[in-house]
Amino acid sequence: MDLIDQLQSISNNIEKQKDKVLTEEATKNAFVMPFIKALGYDVFNPDEVVPEFTSDVGIKKGEKVDYAIFIDGKPAILFECKKLQVDLKAKAPSQLYRYYSVSEAKLGIVTDGRHYHFYSDLEESNKMDDKPYMELDLLNIDEHLIPQLKKISKGTFDLDATLETAVELKYTKAIKREIASLLEEPTKEFVKFFTSLVYDGRFTSNTEEQFTPIVKKAFNQFIREKINAKIDSAFDEEEQEIEEEEIELSDDGIETTEEEIEGYHIVKAIVSEVVDPKRVVHRDTKSYMGILLDDNNRQPICRLHFNTGNWQITLFDEEKNDRKVSIESLNDIYKHANQLRKAAKSY
């Protein structure tokens, strides 16, 4: 079984058992040990995986980390575990931080069984970074991270390659976060730079006030156009023209909006990895747009609730249990790609 399949199996177990796993120890047994096993390590071999690994750190004797993975007789990866649904960003990885400086291990992982935060010492040698270089959510698996996980798996463990890509991952994520912030609230310097490219006049406070919404709008339109172009390329031109004709007010009072059609295309593109896209259709109602497999109401993939200011999407699991979550933009649909593929594939 490939790594992605093993992770999806753990993901399914988290969905089914999350209300029963209430302690840190239960989290370790139910989810963390299977994750370590998915990376290829023998959790029952004390030469390979050491639970409650102990070291004397400064004046604090007997300091423990929950697991240490050994490679060639030396600790290579350290795990600090929390109970399921603990907010990892709000709780500092204190065990790892204290132990890191005296350990030979260069990789630290903090997890609640669902979320995995990966740390190293990219900014200062032998001092664990304050922020993780990579974050994995097993309920929304980003398949782009699978190659990075394989670099720390047994048999393919490559510390140098891992640290090299860790730098790229860490700062790419940080830059993306800054870009998102600038697009939401453009700074004066940001607006001034782009204004200077198209406007020859002096940049005054009035100019800033005039161009700030223009710059913001231009960037958001550019991003939307790029997304739409990518989606459009996945379908036949003829099919696209037919579906765009549906963006109109029908006789029964049902209005199919442009955002609903775009949302439909995003979902269709996502699930086309597991089903024939020709089988994916939409049915609009007054309260939501349903996206179905084989035009069958008994085979729902999701529902888009875009008729109010508070956008929501209803997701379905393999047993057709529904869960409604809020989204802020069409891009947020991609965060639920794994669940959408599961729903489509289950039929």
Side-chain angles (χ1 to χ4, degrees):
M1 187 182 294
D2 195 36
L3 176 57
I4 182 63
D5 296 320
Q6 295 183 69
L7 295 181
Q8 287 177 341
S9 177
I10 299 172
S11 176
N12 292 337
N13 288 336
I14 293 173
E15 286 279 18
K16 294 175 183 177
Q17 301 171 5
K18 59 186 177 183
D19 294 331
K20 300 176 184 178
V21 177
L22 305 176
T23 66
E24 180 181 309
E25 198 62 32
T27 301
K28 292 180 190 177
N29 294 332
F31 308 133
V32 181
M33 288 178 66
F35 177 82
I36 295 173
K37 185 178 179 182
L39 295 179
Y41 300 102
D42 184 353
V43 295
F44 301 111
N45 181 352
D47 291 328
E48 203 162 280
V49 179
V50 181
E52 298 295 318
F53 184 50
T54 306
S55 177
D56 294 334
V57 182
I59 60 173
K60 192 174 180 65
K61 305 299 182 181
E63 188 69 23
K64 295 180 180 180
V65 289
D66 293 294
Y67 295 102
I69 293 178
F70 276 65
I71 295 178
D72 297 330
K74 298 178 181 179
I77 308 173
L78 308 176
F79 279 77
E80 179 176 341
C81 303
K82 309 294 183 184
K83 69 178 182 179
L84 187 65
Q85 301 188 55
V86 163
D87 185 352
L88 298 184
K89 292 182 179 180
K91 201 170 182 67
S94 54
Q95 291 172 309
L96 276 188
Y97 193 84
R98 288 193 297 267
Y99 187 81
Y100 195 91
S101 61
V102 296
S103 169
E104 296 180 71
K106 293 297 181 183
L107 298 176
I109 300 175
V110 183
T111 178
D112 69 339
R114 169 186 169 177
H115 301 93
Y116 287 78
H117 289 189
F118 297 76
Y119 290 84
S120 190
D121 57 349
L122 305 178
E123 297 182 2
E124 186 177 341
S125 182
N126 294 323
K127 181 180 178 182
M128 193 178 82
D129 297 335
D130 291 330
K131 295 181 180 179
Y133 71 82
M134 184 170 77
E135 297 178 18
L136 173 69
D137 179 356
L138 288 185
L139 291 188
N140 294 286
I141 299 174
D142 182 350
E143 296 187 12
H144 293 96
L145 300 182
I146 300 303
Q148 311 310 323
L149 292 176
K150 289 183 177 180
K151 290 175 185 176
I152 64 172
S153 297
K154 183 179 179 180
T156 56
F157 184 87
D158 189 334
L159 180 61
D160 291 337
T162 297
L163 295 180
E164 182 179 337
T165 55
V167 172
E168 181 179 340
L169 285 169
K170 180 183 178 72
Y171 294 109
T172 298
K173 183 174 71 173
I175 291 171
K176 285 166 63 179
R177 187 167 55 244
E178 291 301 319
I179 291 173
S181 177
L182 285 170
L183 293 182
E184 187 64 30
E185 294 292 338
T187 64
K188 178 180 179 179
E189 292 75 16
F190 187 79
V191 174
K192 183 176 182 179
F193 173 76
F194 285 99
T195 302
S196 69
L197 299 178
V198 297
Y199 177 70
D200 295 330
R202 290 178 60 246
F203 189 82
T204 64
S205 57
N206 288 336
T207 310
E208 179 186 0
E209 183 177 351
Q210 177 186 358
F211 274 89
T212 294
I214 295 175
V215 170
K216 183 176 180 179
K217 184 177 182 179
F219 266 89
N220 280 285
Q221 285 184 354
F222 175 78
I223 292 170
R224 171 177 280 191
E225 287 166 5
K226 284 292 184 182
I227 293 172
N228 289 343
K230 187 173 183 180
I231 293 170
D232 291 347
S233 66
F235 309 107
D236 294 334
E237 183 177 350
E238 181 180 355
E239 180 185 11
Q240 182 72 16
E241 290 175 356
I242 293 172
E243 288 164 348
E244 286 179 346
E245 289 175 0
E246 297 176 2
I247 309 174
E248 60 184 17
L249 187 63
S250 63
D251 293 339
D252 56 7
I254 298 173
E255 181 182 4
T256 302
T257 66
E258 181 179 351
E259 288 79 9
E260 287 175 322
I261 290 296
E262 289 184 22
Y264 161 65
H265 284 312
I266 291 174
V267 173
K268 190 172 185 178
I270 289 170
V271 303
S272 65
E273 296 181 18
V274 294
V275 298
D276 186 341
K278 293 180 180 179
R279 298 174 62 193
V280 182
V281 302
H282 66 76
R283 288 191 197 173
D284 206 1
T285 71
K286 290 184 178 181
S287 56
Y288 64 83
M289 171 181 276
I291 301 178
L292 314 169
L293 193 69
D294 299 328
D295 202 12
N296 188 339
N297 274 329
R298 295 185 179 182
Q299 297 182 170
I301 297 173
C302 70
R303 292 173 181 165
L304 305 179
H305 305 265
F306 291 175
N307 294 335
T308 65
N310 181 25
W311 283 10
Q312 294 179 310
I313 180 172
T314 297
L315 303 170
F316 295 88
D317 62 20
E318 294 87 336
E319 284 76 37
K320 297 184 184 178
N321 298 314
D322 62 282
R323 175 170 63 96
K324 188 179 291 186
V325 297
S326 296
I327 61 173
E328 295 182 359
S329 68
L330 291 170
N331 288 343
D332 287 347
I333 295 175
Y334 289 104
K335 296 179 181 179
H336 307 287
N338 189 44
Q339 189 64 45
L340 292 167
R341 284 191 287 264
K342 285 181 181 178
K345 194 175 181 180
S346 69
Y347 304 121

